[in-house]
Amino acid sequence: YGANSFTKKILKNISKEKPSVHLMLGDLSYDQIVPEEKWCAFVKKYLPYVPIELIAGNHESDGVNGSIENFTSCLPNTIANTQGEYGKEYYFDYPEQNPLARFILISPDLHFANGRTFSYTDSSEHMEWLKKSIKEGHEKGIPWTIVGMHKVCISVGSKSCEVGEELMNYLLSHGVDLILQGHAHSYERTAQLVCLTINRFDSACLGDSKLKEYTQGNGGIIAIIGTGGAKFQAIKLQDLEAPYFVSLLGNMYGFSKFEVTEQNLKGTFHSLSGVKDEFIIVR
């Protein structure tokens, strides 16, 4: 995000949409406003009535540009019945009554100031927590499962797979409908994938390769939304992982809006000049 003129425009545009909740996927202030409390006040100035939910990025997990503990103090959790450690690893069902989606926020490959590292390998306590959270949501009959995190795996720029191929393949093959990520300073959105391979393209991983309309159960869609105001990072269309993606937008600030009903999940990317990508998943 940062706290510059582009950030202000994006926050104002988000406010106009009157969202039920706004997810911030890490890398928050970049020290463009300090301390953390002043950055939180900056955000609340433009989103005064919007519930905000945070997950740490690498810029605040270990105190490089503030502390996630301080950010969660000034932008605290506002969702009822949240389970887990807010800002690091937690989930909530929304709305509280007859929920339409389970939102699970995790912190793979983040190193926190107290020495804790969140690893989601198969034998880790964090992976077991994640598996249980996904399974219980399905068992409750909640229509949609959305997982958010800061770092990425496949992308078409300078970022490598920091969260782990194992984690991503578990999410894609176990009924997660949408995976939200930040970290890469661009907008990148895949088709429905049932798996992925790093540094190469495997066509067998495409559950449904259409551009806009999908059916639930054919894999998960990954949306990287690192466009909140920080300096852009180059998109490399020749990247070996590029064929997984159906929308690639560099040098463009904006936000994604997701509308969820029992029958469908619709996503749109709103740049400062209008909608530039849209898709829908139908049950």
Side-chain angles (χ1 to χ4, degrees):
Y1 287 86
N4 53 56
S5 60
F6 296 109
T7 315
K8 292 178 183 179
K9 291 177 182 178
I10 291 164
L11 294 177
K12 287 180 179 179
N13 287 348
I14 291 171
S15 182
K16 291 175 184 177
E17 299 291 334
K18 296 180 172 61
S20 301
V21 61
H22 178 54
L23 301 179
M24 288 188 152
L25 302 176
D27 285 4
L28 303 174
S29 74
Y30 287 90
D31 284 348
Q32 292 180 7
I33 291 180
V34 293
E36 297 93 331
E37 291 81 4
K38 287 188 177 180
W39 185 83
C40 292
F42 163 81
V43 171
K44 287 188 280 192
K45 176 181 178 181
Y46 297 104
L47 297 178
Y49 306 113
V50 177
I52 294 170
E53 295 292 296
L54 300 181
I55 194 71
N58 56 289
H59 279 260
E60 53 275 335
S61 63
D62 56 5
V64 173
N65 295 129
S67 163
I68 186 59
E69 288 80 11
N70 291 340
F71 283 113
T72 55
S73 292
C74 53
L75 285 174
N77 170 53
T78 58
I79 303 295
N81 296 319
T82 296
Q83 304 294 317
E85 189 174 0
Y86 175 60
K88 297 178 181 178
E89 182 181 75
Y90 65 104
Y91 72 82
F92 60 91
D93 300 333
Y94 197 87
E96 185 179 1
Q97 301 298 322
N98 301 313
L100 295 171
R102 169 160 288 196
F103 292 86
I104 306 172
L105 288 304
I106 58 176
S107 295
D109 195 52
L110 289 189
H111 313 284
F112 293 95
N114 58 6
R116 297 168 67 198
T117 297
F118 281 48
S119 172
Y120 292 81
T121 55
D122 189 53
S123 59
S124 73
E125 61 175 311
H126 298 289
M127 190 65 168
E128 292 305 311
W129 178 91
L130 174 63
K131 290 178 178 179
K132 183 179 179 182
S133 301
I134 294 171
K135 182 180 178 183
E136 288 181 350
H138 290 158
E139 290 175 345
K140 286 185 175 181
I142 298 173
W144 304 98
T145 304
I146 299 170
V147 173
M149 67 193 80
H150 177 66
K151 289 188 174 182
V152 302
C153 188
I154 56 170
S155 67
V156 291
S158 60
K159 304 298 185 185
S160 61
C161 183
E162 296 176 84
V163 305
E165 205 173 346
E166 179 183 351
L167 167 63
M168 296 300 294
N169 280 315
Y170 185 87
L171 298 177
L172 293 170
S173 62
H174 283 79
V176 173
D177 302 292
L178 181 64
I179 300 168
L180 304 176
Q181 299 173 324
H183 199 41
H185 298 189
S186 54
Y187 175 79
E188 310 174 27
R189 197 262 300 174
T190 70
Q192 273 182 319
L193 305 179
V194 296
C195 62
L196 57 77
T197 53
I198 61 173
N199 300 323
R200 67 184 180 92
F201 173 66
D202 184 352
S203 61
C205 286
L206 291 176
D208 191 329
S209 61
K210 292 197 294 290
L211 297 180
K212 292 185 177 183
E213 296 183 8
Y214 306 94
T215 301
Q216 188 182 45
N218 291 329
I221 289 174
I222 302 169
I224 301 171
I225 313 152
T227 54
K231 184 178 179 181
F232 297 123
Q233 294 168 342
I235 277 183
K236 302 174 183 177
L237 296 178
Q238 71 274 22
D239 192 292
L240 297 176
E241 296 166 351
Y244 289 117
F245 294 86
V246 296
S247 181
L248 293 169
L249 301 172
N251 300 321
M252 191 174 294
Y253 293 115
F255 66 93
S256 282
K257 174 183 176 181
F258 300 99
E259 299 170 271
V260 180
T261 70
E262 190 170 347
Q263 284 73 40
N264 57 62
L265 187 161
K266 181 181 180 182
T268 49
F269 177 73
H270 297 248
S271 77
L272 294 178
S273 60
V275 174
K276 299 297 182 181
D277 181 46
E278 55 186 333
F279 67 90
I280 189 167
I281 310 172
V282 180
R283 295 185 76 206

